[in-house]
Amino acid sequence: MQREIFDIIYKIHGIFRNMSLTLSVAESCTGGLISHYLTNFPGASKFFHSGVVAYSIEAKKSILGISSETISKHGIISMETVSEMAEKVRQLTESDYSIATTGNLGPDILENKERGLVYIAVSRKGEIFTKEIRLTGDRGENKEAAANSALSFLVEVMDA
């Protein structure tokens, strides 16, 4: 594990445990990597409620309750979809915070959206913060960068 991501995860553990907050994750393009990172450290069970990998359209609709209208109007890879993913998983789990990711890691173009386009959302009791990133690595590098960016964004939101 790279030192940078190690430090971010360590900080998240400290913040959530010290403040008695809970966290849930809804992942699409990161495929569970955020949840993996968070649970790599002992003590994650004190704050990490759950992680959902909703990779397919059907999973986004049936598990998370993402509206068909959002998906048909904006696509799976959109700020609107990731915002809804973050809010829905936070509500479902009754967590204090949630993180969500959706995007195109490559190698092909999906929904007319280029490789490397990723959307991240953090939900905090009804407030949703979003971020768009554009990655240039291969699929594996993009997956790691998206997970790292999502966790860094969570820290930014909490520090704000």
Side-chain angles (χ1 to χ4, degrees):
M1 181 180 295
Q2 297 174 2
R3 183 70 190 175
E4 177 188 349
I5 191 64
F6 178 92
D7 291 343
I8 293 165
I9 297 164
Y10 186 78
K11 185 172 185 172
I12 290 169
H13 269 247
I15 292 168
F16 275 85
R17 290 170 67 183
N18 291 337
M19 297 179 72
S20 297
L21 297 170
T22 55
L23 175 66
S24 291
V25 179
E27 301 183 68
S28 186
C29 65
T30 49
L33 188 56
I34 294 170
S35 299
H36 170 73
Y37 282 160
L38 290 168
T39 58
N40 249 355
F41 286 32
S45 62
K46 300 269 190 261
F47 71 90
F48 184 64
H49 184 284
S50 56
V52 174
V53 178
Y55 208 71
S56 69
I57 293 172
E58 295 78 20
K60 286 175 182 64
K61 289 179 182 178
S62 65
I63 297 170
L64 294 176
I66 306 305
S67 75
S68 296
E69 183 181 326
T70 298
I71 292 172
S72 65
K73 188 174 180 181
H74 303 285
I76 295 169
I77 304 166
S78 68
M79 198 70 78
E80 293 80 7
T81 296
V82 80
S83 296
E84 206 170 312
M85 289 171 67
E87 183 62 11
K88 294 284 188 170
V89 77
R90 191 190 61 73
Q91 290 173 351
L92 283 169
T93 61
E94 299 179 354
S95 295
D96 297 304
Y97 282 80
S98 67
I99 310 170
T101 58
T102 189
N104 178 9
L105 300 180
D108 301 320
I109 292 174
L110 298 172
E111 297 182 335
N112 295 317
K113 295 169 184 163
E114 72 270 9
R115 176 180 59 118
L117 176 62
V118 175
Y119 293 102
I120 301 165
V122 171
S123 175
R124 171 179 68 194
K125 295 186 182 178
E127 290 183 284
I128 301 171
F129 305 86
T130 57
K131 183 175 188 173
E132 176 184 306
I133 60 174
R134 295 182 184 265
L135 305 169
T136 59
D138 65 24
R139 186 173 177 81
E141 292 166 339
N142 286 347
K143 185 176 183 177
E144 285 184 23
N148 294 359
S149 293
L151 290 167
S152 295
F153 187 50
L154 173 63
V155 171
E156 286 175 37
V157 168
M158 296 189 80
D159 284 346

